[in-house]
């Protein structure tokens, strides 16, 4: 059983592509080998900046001969059928066999014989294929050739090794012939050498100053960096992405720790960290006592005669220039934050377009401020503070620091708001209002931040809905799904009681008013758009904008305004946004293990735009269904509901009268009456208190009496009076259970 | 034998690069006599990277970026600076080694320095060009751009050229250990009349910064832009056959001069702050259209690989 070793040696492969490329090489080659009839015990792939390597162990030496018999069309079938069969088998008609299958007639058979092939032939073919069809995210040509690779490919090492020794698998890809040779480190050991096996290869590489395994390089970097830091009472700021990237930039990692000039230690740690990481790929070294970044770690690719002194000096020099820039930005920014309370930045945002149909960033901020003020009372925030926070939360977008490092948005906003002497809640909101960005990102919990964050997202959603720029399929250029999930989490995780429809109402209204404030040319179009969306006359929209229009959702005074609100609430754009929320909510709850039909059963109830209520209901129902009583009760409910619906259809009436216990004949029937009374007495107050768990537990207690009832009692009694009474009893089951959730939506 | 000592002046670094690349067989060319934003604009790179003819050239190119002007005060920002440019077509298999040889030639010792090839793909929207390659780091400092051209002027490069660009001031400052560009020795610091970079360029940096940012007449610049664009289109519209000589003369280079002019005028307008964000894309598109048309013309010329037989 031979072992296979492949190495593709090229000019420097981008760090971000290496791990994926190694995995792709492994998949392409091993899949190809298996498809050609070979088997193997194990395989491993590796990458360095200059090479992709693959080892495959215990490969079968030959593929087995295969004899395949394929049944074709009947001999009297139309010519087309035969043609197709010949094409698919690659045979001619005289190579086919005719066999009499009795009743099924005479049928063509193709006998396809595939002789076994030596592994070397297969490997050569599979590897050439893999090289020619390699899925690089970006590839290129070089010289006069037409072969494509991520950067020029120089060597193909491909050998099969068994007890007898190693043999080169012969192949030639556009003039690059396979061999058993590779090269060491570019500077430390540039000579080429032959290898005989994977073990020999990795040993010789290490001697030639190349650590083949990226994980080993990363481990070495991390271990060395942390121990150098520890020796000075410091710690490395963990950054897995950076570690992986740096491990892809070196074949022989040499960790060097350097100093950050005193003059920069006053910069915010995040600025130091971002500048060092983005520009220089340095790790930050922190003093755990002060939290300050005091040193850096860089990873060189060489061991030098002066132990890295020159390299470190050079890197420090580059860092000095970079941080001088950062310090310049920081000081300029602070001057504007402290001296002018960020006003020039806010003015500048008037000239920054947010979206050509949704106006400038300044207009957007005005809307968010109005929204935050409206939302504030519902999240226990001070409305004035919420407005103030929203007004300055995006000021940092105009700062020099954010121009240089956009990823620091929000964070710099906090520093600058603090520098401007604004309240802590306002500074917090500047940083937190973008959150949550992803499903695992923390949700803001302080009231002012919640208000501004919700306002920000609601403005985005209602704005894009208003101009009909909704996500389609996989396209979501404005990240509206993320904004929706953000709203859901903000609402649910903070138990906010503010129905989506009302949130949407304030959002739509602010957006519409902001559009209608535009210049005259655009205004008539905007009025027409608004009238179309709300299905009202243009004059009605005009009347509204002439008046002193404030959304003031909490106390709408003007009758026309109230009517107008109703139009917005009833518009299709509003219900469309709500159903988008419900779709996102299903995804959100599914991740929490709640079935989609359970959610549907709750969405079908009143108040389904109050997401906190909706989620509480769904959680309670989901828990109830997990109990034996709960699951069985649903069956009983469905049985009652089905019988009742059927009889109602048949009789053309609704059995909605109160059933009379006096007409009950059996004990089971009487017990059910009592049980329903008991349940109702518990459910009604529980529902009023929105205590779904108690209500559903009470409902589940009905399981036994309902089951017993169906066991013992025949609904369609001979006496019409008894029958009607029993149907009305079923109706009570339907009403009591149906008040908790629409159980008919449940599956199974 | 190459000099392995450390150079002592800006000009010595240039001279060493010139003799190194001459020794590698490149035609050492002179700077193009027009204002350009980067060495790539020299027709010895842009146009010669097109078509099937082999080519090898190296040269210094003065480059102008009006928006980078800092009145000579910033330690490493200049509105006028020098790039060293190498173009070899087809790119030889040992291109990286040739490049590393040039670093050695200017005194970079690989036993103490850390040289790295870090992914950096190059794209020039005004030239309609892109390529894959790296920025080359020496001890964490970017010292060159190394690109395999894939497309220029909208044409696939076949064969592919290997292109190197050295930012000479930054590279020289690092090698010479200077912190402010104006302090850098321009000629031999022991010469009887020793000159620094500042002696040569401080005043011009001031003068051009003022002109670029505040004085240049934008109406005139705008008119020049339109004129260059129109002239470029007019030249290219002329038939290839010259009625006077009876020869086939494709005027790719005169047309390309106008494209270069338009590109620089756009940069000047940009520095004057009169181009809005939305207009910017439109201007870039107009220059790109000119570059592409010039590239089309060049590949229809002899230097661009046109042969009468193939036509």
């Amino acid at each position: 059983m031979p072992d296979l070793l492949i190495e593709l040696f090229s000019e420097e492969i981008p760090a971000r592509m290496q791990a994926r490329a190694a995995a792709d090489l492994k998949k392409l080659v091993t899949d190809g080998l298996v498809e050609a009839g070979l088997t193997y015990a194990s395989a491993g792939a590796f990458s360095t900046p200059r090479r992709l390597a693959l080892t495959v162990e215990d490969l079968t030496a030959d593929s087995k001969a295969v004899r395949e018999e394929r049944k074709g069309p009947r001999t009297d079938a139309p010519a087309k059928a035969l043609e197709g069969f010949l094409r698919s088998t690659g045979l001619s008609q005289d190579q086919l066999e005719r066999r009499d299958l009795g009743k099924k007639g005479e049928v063509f058979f193709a006998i396809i014989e595939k002789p076994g092939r030596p592994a070397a032939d297969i490997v050569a073919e599979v590897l050439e294929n893999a090289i020619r069809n390699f899925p690089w995210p970006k590839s290129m040509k070089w010289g006069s050739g037409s072969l494509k690779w991520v950067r020029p490919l120089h060597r193909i090492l491909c050998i099969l090794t068994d007890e007898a020794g190693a043999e080169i698998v012969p192949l030639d890809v556009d003039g690059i012939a396979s061999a058993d040779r590779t090269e060491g480190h570019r500077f430390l050991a540039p000579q080429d050498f032959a290898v005989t096996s994977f073990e020999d290869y990795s040993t010789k590489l290490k001697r030639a100053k190349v650590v083949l395994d990226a994980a080993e390089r990363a481990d070495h970097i991390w271990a060395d960096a942390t121990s150098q830091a520890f020796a000075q009472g410091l710690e490395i700021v963990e950054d897995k992405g950076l570690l992986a990237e740096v491990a892809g930039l070196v074949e022989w990692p040499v960790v060097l720790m350097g100093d950050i000039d005193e003059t920069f230690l006053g910069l915010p740690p995040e600025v130091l960290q971002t500048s060092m990481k983005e520009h220089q790929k340095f790790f930050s070294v922190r003093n755990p006592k002060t939290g300050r970044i005091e040193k850096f770690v860089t990873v060189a690719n060489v061991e030098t005669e002066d132990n890295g002194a020159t390299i470190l000096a050079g890197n420090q020099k580059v860092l000095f220039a970079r941080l001088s820039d950062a310090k310049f930005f920081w000081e300029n920014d602070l001057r504007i934050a402290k001296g002018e309370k960020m006003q020039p930045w806010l003015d500048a945002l008037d000239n920054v377009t947010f979206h050509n149909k949704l106006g400038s960033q300044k207009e957007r901020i005005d809307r968010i401020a109005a929204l935050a003020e409206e939302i504030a009372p519902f999240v226990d925030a001070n409305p004035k503070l919420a407005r103030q926070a929203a007004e300055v939360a995006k000021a940092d977008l105009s700062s020099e620091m954010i121009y240089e490092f956009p990823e620091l948005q929000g964070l710099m906003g906090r520093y600058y708001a603090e520098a401007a002497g604004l309240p802590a809640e306002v500074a917090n909101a500047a940083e937190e209002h973008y959150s949550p960005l992803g499903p695992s990102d923390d949700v803001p919990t302080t009231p002012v931040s919640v208000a501004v964050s919700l306002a920000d997202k609601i403005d985005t959603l209602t704005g894009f809905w208003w101009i009909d720029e909704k996500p389609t399929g996989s396209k979501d250029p404005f990240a509206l799904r993320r904004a929706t999930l953000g709203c859901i989490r903000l609402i649910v995780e903070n138990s906010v009681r503010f129905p989506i429809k009302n949130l949407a109402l304030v959002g739509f209204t602010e957006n519409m008013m902001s559009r209608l404030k535009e210049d005259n040319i655009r205004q008539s179009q905007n009025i027409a758009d608004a009238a179309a969306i709300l299905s009202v006359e243009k004059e009605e929209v005009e009347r509204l904008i002439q008046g002193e229009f404030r959304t003031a959702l909490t106390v709408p005074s003007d009758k026309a305004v109230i009517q107008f609100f109703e139009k917005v609430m009833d518009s299709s754009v509003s219900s469309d946004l709500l159903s988008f929320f419900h779709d996102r909510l299903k995804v959100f709850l599914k991740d929490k293990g709640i079935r989609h039909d359970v959610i549907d059963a709750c969405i079908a109830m009143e108040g389904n735009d109050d997401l906190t209520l909706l989620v509480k209901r769904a959680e309670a129902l989901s828990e109830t269904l997990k109990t034996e009583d709960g699951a069985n009760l649903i069956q009983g409910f469905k049985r009652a509901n089905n019988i009742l619906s059927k009889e109602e259809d048949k009789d053309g009436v609704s059995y909605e009268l109160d059933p009379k216990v006096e007409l009950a004949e059996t004990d089971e029937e009487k017990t059910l009456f009592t049980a329903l009374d008991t349940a109702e007495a518990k459910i009604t107050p529980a529902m009023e208190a929105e205590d779904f768990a108690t209500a559903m537990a009470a409902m589940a207690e009905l399981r036994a009496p309902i089951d017993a009832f169906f066991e013992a009692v025949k609904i369609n009694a001979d006496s019409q009076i008894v029958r009607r009474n029993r149907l009305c009893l079923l109706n009570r089951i339907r009403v009591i259970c149906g008040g908790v959730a629409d159980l008919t939506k449940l599956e199974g | 034998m190459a000099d392995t000592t450390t150079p002592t002046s800006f000009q010595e670094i240039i001279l060493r690069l010139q003799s190194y690349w001459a020794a590698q067989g490149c035609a050492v060319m002179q700077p193009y006599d027009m204002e350009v934003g980067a060495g790539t604009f020299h027709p010895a790179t842009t146009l010669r990277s097109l078509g099937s003819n082999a080519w090898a050239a190296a040269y210094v190119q003065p480059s102008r970026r009006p928006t980078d002007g800092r009145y000579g005060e910033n330690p490493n920002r200049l509105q006028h600076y020098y790039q060293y440019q190498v173009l070899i077509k087809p790119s030889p298999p040992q291109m990286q080694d040739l490049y590393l040889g040039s670093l050695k030639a200017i005194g970079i010792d690989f036993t103490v320095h850390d040289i790295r090839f870090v992914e950096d793909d190059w794209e020039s929207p005004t030239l309609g060009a892109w390529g894959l390659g790296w920025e080359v780091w020496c001890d964490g400092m970017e010292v060159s751009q190394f690109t395999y051209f894939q497309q220029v002027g909208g044409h696939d490069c076949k064969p592919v050229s290997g292109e190197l660009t050295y930012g000479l001031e930054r590279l020289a400052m690092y090698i010479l250990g200077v912190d402010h560009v104006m302090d850098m020795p321009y000629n031999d610091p022991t010469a009887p009349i020793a000159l620094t970079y500042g002696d040569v360029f401080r005043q011009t940096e001031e003068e051009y910064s003022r002109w670029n940012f505040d004085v240049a007449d934008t109406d005139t610049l705008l008119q020049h832009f339109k004129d260059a664009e129109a002239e470029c289109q007019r030249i290219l519209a002329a038939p290839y056959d010259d009625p006077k000589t009876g020869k086939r003369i494709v005027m790719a280079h005169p047309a390309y001069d106008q494209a270069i002019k338009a590109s620089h005028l756009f940069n000047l307008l940009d520095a004057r702050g009169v181009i809005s964000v939305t207009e910017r894309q439109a201007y870039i598109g107009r220059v790109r259209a000119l570059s592409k048309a010039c590239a089309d013309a060049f590949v229809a010329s002899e230097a661009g690989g046109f042969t009468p037989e193939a036509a």
Side-chain angles (χ1 to χ4, degrees):
Chain A
M1 301 283 262
D3 294 335
L4 170 65
L5 172 65
I6 293 171
E7 183 204 61
L8 303 173
F9 182 85
S10 67
E11 296 178 12
E12 276 76 357
I13 306 167
R16 67 191 170 93
M17 299 180 190
Q18 292 166 17
R20 179 65 199 269
D24 285 340
L25 177 66
K26 178 171 155 184
K27 182 163 176 23
L28 283 172
V29 172
T30 54
D31 283 1
L33 296 176
V34 169
E35 202 175 302
L38 297 180
T39 62
Y40 64 95
S42 62
F46 304 91
S47 62
T48 80
R50 295 210 289 166
R51 58 199 97 219
L52 298 180
L54 174 68
T55 165
V56 179
E57 276 151 26
D58 289 340
L59 192 65
T60 36
D62 303 273
S63 66
K64 283 208 184 77
V66 182
R67 184 173 188 279
E68 190 195 353
E69 210 177 271
R70 281 170 62 185
K71 189 179 155 198
R74 280 164 56 130
T75 52
D76 56 359
K80 276 246 162 107
L82 179 60
E83 268 170 43
F85 185 59
L86 290 176
R87 210 176 315 123
S88 76
T89 54
L91 298 178
S92 59
Q93 193 181 337
D94 57 340
Q95 289 170 300
L96 298 182
E97 256 186 57
R98 292 159 180 266
R99 277 187 215 164
D100 193 353
L101 295 185
K103 259 192 273 173
K104 288 180 183 161
E106 194 186 42
V107 172
F108 281 120
F109 272 83
I111 313 296
I112 301 161
E113 307 248 10
K114 283 190 196 152
R117 297 169 67 201
D121 286 6
I122 295 174
V123 167
E125 193 178 288
V126 166
L127 180 56
E128 176 165 357
N129 239 318
I131 293 172
R132 291 194 187 280
N133 300 303
F134 206 82
W136 291 110
K138 260 190 192 170
S139 60
M140 54 163 273
K141 294 178 188 168
W142 61 95
S144 304
S146 58
L147 185 66
K148 289 185 124 186
W149 200 246
V150 64
R151 291 295 183 274
L153 180 64
H154 285 279
R155 293 172 180 274
I156 299 171
L157 180 154
C158 186
I159 55 170
L160 279 168
T161 308
D162 59 15
E163 300 78 16
E167 257 190 72
I168 297 169
V169 175
L171 78 146
D172 186 298
V173 183
D174 285 21
I176 308 168
S178 60
D180 59 355
R181 306 184 75 77
T182 186
E183 291 169 34
H185 187 282
R186 188 190 276 288
F187 298 106
L188 298 174
Q191 309 77 8
D192 71 336
F193 52 88
V195 300
T196 56
S197 67
F198 176 68
E199 205 192 341
D200 184 44
Y201 169 73
S202 48
T203 314
K204 282 181 177 159
L205 271 183
K206 198 157 274 179
R207 218 175 292 152
K209 307 287 183 185
V210 175
V211 180
L212 179 63
D213 188 353
E216 189 184 331
R217 293 194 300 273
D219 289 349
H220 170 82
I221 293 167
W222 186 248
D224 204 5
T226 43
S227 78
Q228 285 192 34
F230 182 76
Q232 305 204 24
L234 303 171
E235 62 187 16
I236 307 286
V237 176
E238 196 172 334
D239 187 335
K240 293 221 165 74
L242 181 62
L243 182 59
E245 187 182 1
V246 169
L249 287 171
V250 291
E251 292 203 310
W252 192 253
V254 176
V255 175
L256 301 168
M257 189 156 77
D259 293 324
I260 298 171
D261 197 277
E262 279 286 328
T263 49
F264 305 120
L265 295 180
L267 283 170
E270 297 88 348
V271 171
L272 285 171
Q273 212 176 314
T274 308
S275 175
M276 295 203 294
K277 172 187 172 167
E278 293 302 314
H279 296 305
Q280 303 302 129
K281 314 212 186 293
F282 289 171
F283 289 94
S284 296
V285 184
R286 182 169 49 204
N287 183 337
K289 287 183 209 98
T290 60
R292 292 203 318 182
I293 308 288
E294 295 181 351
K295 285 172 184 285
F296 69 86
V297 156
T298 183
V299 182
N301 190 32
V302 285
E303 285 165 344
T304 62
E305 290 165 354
D306 62 356
N307 294 318
T310 308
I311 297 174
L312 208 49
N315 274 288
Q316 266 166 204
K317 200 165 184 172
V318 181
L319 181 66
F320 191 94
R322 291 287 189 190
L323 293 183
S324 301
D325 275 351
K327 186 164 181 258
F328 180 74
F329 301 146
W330 168 246
E331 284 168 357
N332 282 352
D333 286 350
L334 276 186
R335 209 166 301 131
I336 292 176
K338 277 184 189 156
E340 305 180 61
K341 307 285 171 218
M342 307 193 274
Q343 196 54 46
W345 293 342
L346 294 170
D347 296 342
L349 288 175
D350 209 6
N351 298 319
V352 180
T353 310
F354 170 61
H355 182 282
N356 60 2
K357 285 185 178 171
L358 294 172
S360 68
Q361 283 284 12
K362 175 72 170 47
E363 286 175 77
R364 177 165 143 74
I365 289 167
D366 289 345
R367 293 195 298 268
I368 296 173
L371 286 172
E373 193 175 356
E374 299 254 5
I375 293 169
F378 295 87
V379 297
D380 301 322
N382 175 329
K384 288 264 142 28
L385 266 184
R387 169 175 273 281
Q388 189 189 10
E391 279 168 350
V392 299
K394 292 185 191 293
D396 65 341
L397 294 181
S398 304
S399 69
E400 293 185 36
M401 190 68 87
I402 299 306
Y403 182 81
E404 185 71 9
F405 299 114
E407 63 270 46
L408 293 179
Q409 69 174 20
L411 186 82
M412 296 320 294
R414 167 197 283 280
Y415 281 112
Y416 297 146
E418 281 169 355
L422 296 173
E425 292 96 323
V426 173
N428 265 339
E431 180 179 358
E432 294 177 347
H433 83 281
Y434 292 104
S435 300
L437 286 170
S440 52
D441 197 13
D442 282 344
V443 171
T445 52
T446 52
V448 172
S449 297
V450 173
V452 180
S453 181
L454 259 179
D456 186 15
K457 290 163 187 62
I458 287 292
D459 174 69
T460 304
L461 289 168
T462 51
F464 284 104
W465 244 258
W466 189 258
I467 61 166
D468 202 20
E469 286 274 3
K470 295 173 276 190
T472 50
S474 60
K475 285 205 187 98
D476 185 8
F478 307 110
L480 302 181
R481 291 195 179 97
R482 192 172 76 186
T484 311
L485 180 63
C487 280
I488 292 174
R489 293 189 56 207
L490 277 161
I491 291 171
V492 173
E493 291 176 28
N494 288 304
S495 297
V496 175
R497 301 302 300 274
F498 197 160
I500 289 295
K501 271 193 179 177
N502 297 12
L503 272 171
L505 168 67
V506 280
F508 282 127
T509 312
E510 283 302 334
N511 261 287
M512 190 191 69
M513 294 313 292
S514 148
R515 296 279 51 73
L516 296 179
K517 274 182 228 152
E518 278 184 9
D519 57 76
N520 290 334
I521 308 159
R522 293 274 296 274
Q523 204 178 63
S524 72
Q525 183 56 47
N526 289 333
I527 290 178
D529 288 348
I533 290 171
L534 304 174
S535 337
V536 297
E537 294 301 316
K538 275 195 251 175
E539 291 70 29
E540 202 172 333
V541 179
E542 274 164 0
R543 251 201 319 280
L544 271 166
I545 57 173
Q546 280 156 9
E548 192 59 23
F549 190 93
R550 279 287 305 120
T551 57
L553 183 74
T554 35
V555 272
S557 48
D558 190 338
K559 233 189 190 157
V561 173
I562 295 173
Q563 271 177 7
F564 188 80
F565 283 169
E566 281 165 1
K567 294 276 185 198
V568 175
M569 298 279 254
D570 293 342
S571 67
S572 62
V573 64
S574 183
S575 54
D576 191 53
L577 180 58
L578 179 62
S579 66
F580 189 77
F581 262 93
H582 283 157
D583 286 346
R584 290 292 102 198
L585 184 70
K586 281 182 199 174
V587 176
F588 172 70
L589 288 180
K590 210 168 170 189
D591 291 344
K592 297 187 158 214
I594 298 181
R595 288 175 1 211
H596 69 98
D597 57 326
V598 171
I599 305 162
D600 281 334
C602 299
I603 288 176
M605 303 302 288
E606 273 290 294
N608 65 1
D609 63 335
D610 182 334
L611 299 186
T612 300
L613 194 69
L614 181 53
V615 169
K616 263 171 83 179
R617 195 192 288 266
E619 280 169 350
L621 181 55
S622 185
E623 283 309 306
T624 307
L625 290 179
K626 283 179 196 153
T627 65
E628 206 196 331
D629 274 353
N632 285 312
L633 169 89
I634 302 305
Q635 298 313 318
F637 165 82
K638 284 195 167 175
R639 192 167 168 189
N641 188 51
N642 289 343
I643 293 170
L644 182 57
S645 304
K646 205 169 125 199
E647 298 305 314
E648 283 180 337
D649 280 354
K650 207 161 69 188
D651 302 348
V653 290
S654 298
Y655 291 101
E656 286 174 352
L657 294 174
D658 260 348
K660 294 196 168 60
V661 69
E662 310 89 81
L663 294 171
E665 289 180 343
T666 65
D667 286 347
E668 289 80 0
E669 207 172 350
K670 286 174 192 151
T671 314
L672 181 56
F673 266 97
T674 324
L676 282 169
D677 287 340
T678 317
E680 197 170 22
K682 286 185 195 163
I683 290 172
T684 310
M687 288 299 289
E688 270 165 22
E690 292 167 359
D691 180 358
F692 298 109
T694 303
M696 290 190 195
M699 180 178 82
E701 282 168 18
L702 289 171
R703 177 240 168 148
I706 290 177
D707 281 358
F709 172 75
F710 280 123
E711 192 73 21
V713 176
K714 188 174 149 214
I715 305 292
N716 283 323
D718 298 335
S719 151
Q720 276 305 310
I721 297 171
V722 174
R723 172 176 173 265
R724 275 201 295 273
N725 197 54
R726 284 181 181 163
L727 286 170
C728 288
L729 185 60
L730 293 188
N731 184 54
R732 268 200 84 193
I733 297 177
R734 176 157 79 180
V735 170
I736 290 173
C737 296
V740 178
D742 185 349
L743 303 180
T744 62
K745 298 265 193 251
L746 294 176
E747 288 168 3
Chain B
M1 192 55 222
D3 192 350
T4 52
T5 57
T6 306
T8 57
S9 68
F10 184 56
Q11 73 186 24
E12 189 183 346
I13 289 170
I14 296 177
L15 290 169
R16 287 204 200 176
L17 283 173
Q18 295 280 49
S19 56
Y20 174 82
W21 285 108
Q24 306 311 318
C26 285
V28 172
M29 305 195 59
Q30 300 307 317
Y32 201 55
D33 57 345
M34 289 189 68
E35 299 143 314
V36 295
T40 323
F41 279 86
H42 195 308
T45 289
T46 349
L47 296 183
R48 293 291 176 160
S49 66
L50 291 161
S52 51
N53 295 349
W55 184 256
Y59 55 90
V60 177
Q61 179 63 49
S63 307
R64 299 190 186 217
R65 295 204 177 152
T67 44
D68 280 353
R70 295 292 184 273
Y71 300 83
E73 285 162 12
N74 189 288
N76 43 29
R77 265 190 208 276
L78 301 160
Q79 57 83 39
H80 173 282
Y81 64 103
Y82 290 99
Q83 285 193 340
Y84 197 84
Q85 179 84 8
V86 180
L87 188 89
I88 306 179
K89 180 176 78 168
S91 66
Q94 74 284 16
M95 186 89 189
Q96 278 187 313
D97 292 333
L98 288 178
Y99 167 72
L100 291 171
S102 76
L103 293 187
K104 229 179 207 167
I106 53 176
I108 294 180
D109 175 2
F110 301 144
T111 62
V112 290
H113 289 288
D114 181 29
I115 306 294
R116 229 82 74 67
F117 292 84
V118 181
E119 178 191 16
D120 190 31
D121 301 338
W122 171 80
E123 195 184 354
S124 168
T126 44
L127 289 175
W130 68 276
L132 299 190
W134 311 273
E135 49 181 50
V136 184
W137 286 12
C138 175
D139 305 334
M141 152 106 89
E142 183 192 340
V143 290
S144 309
Q145 192 76 36
F146 188 136
T147 308
Y148 290 102
F149 278 2
Q150 299 296 301
Q151 221 180 45
V152 172
H155 292 259
D156 282 341
C157 296
K158 223 180 153 183
V160 165
S161 301
E163 186 228 27
L164 301 169
T165 304
Y166 307 71
L168 283 173
E169 282 82 356
R170 189 156 31 154
L171 181 59
M173 282 167 70
Y174 188 62
I175 292 170
L176 302 174
V178 179
D179 290 328
H180 198 297
V181 64
M182 293 298 168
D183 300 335
M184 177 162 65
Y186 195 95
N187 62 355
D188 184 345
T190 62
I193 304 175
L195 298 169
T196 63
Y197 195 92
D199 293 331
V200 183
F201 287 118
R202 189 189 300 275
Q203 183 173 325
T204 53
E205 279 299 310
E206 249 178 29
E207 292 177 12
Y208 278 104
S209 293
R210 184 176 173 199
W211 183 71
N212 292 338
F213 289 127
D214 301 319
V215 179
D217 184 63
T218 54
D219 292 341
T220 310
L221 292 175
L222 205 57
Q223 191 53 49
H224 285 347
F225 180 89
K226 288 181 192 153
D227 291 346
E229 184 182 40
E231 180 63 2
C232 179
Q233 290 161 342
R234 202 181 65 82
I235 297 170
L236 293 173
Y240 292 166
D241 295 319
D242 174 27
K244 195 166 109 191
T245 60
K247 285 186 182 172
R248 184 175 181 281
I249 305 178
V250 182
M251 292 173 288
H253 287 80
Y256 182 61
D257 284 352
Q258 300 301 319
I260 294 178
K261 235 176 224 173
S263 174
H264 180 61
L265 287 161
F266 161 70
N267 288 341
L268 285 171
L269 285 163
D270 197 23
R272 288 288 279 116
V274 295
I275 293 180
S276 74
V277 182
T278 35
E279 284 174 316
R280 223 185 129 72
Q281 286 313 313
Y283 273 100
I284 290 173
R286 282 162 78 178
V287 178
R288 181 168 54 238
L290 298 181
S291 309
K292 282 191 170 176
C294 294
D296 294 347
F298 182 75
V299 296
S301 76
E302 231 173 282
F306 173 85
T307 50
E309 309 84 64

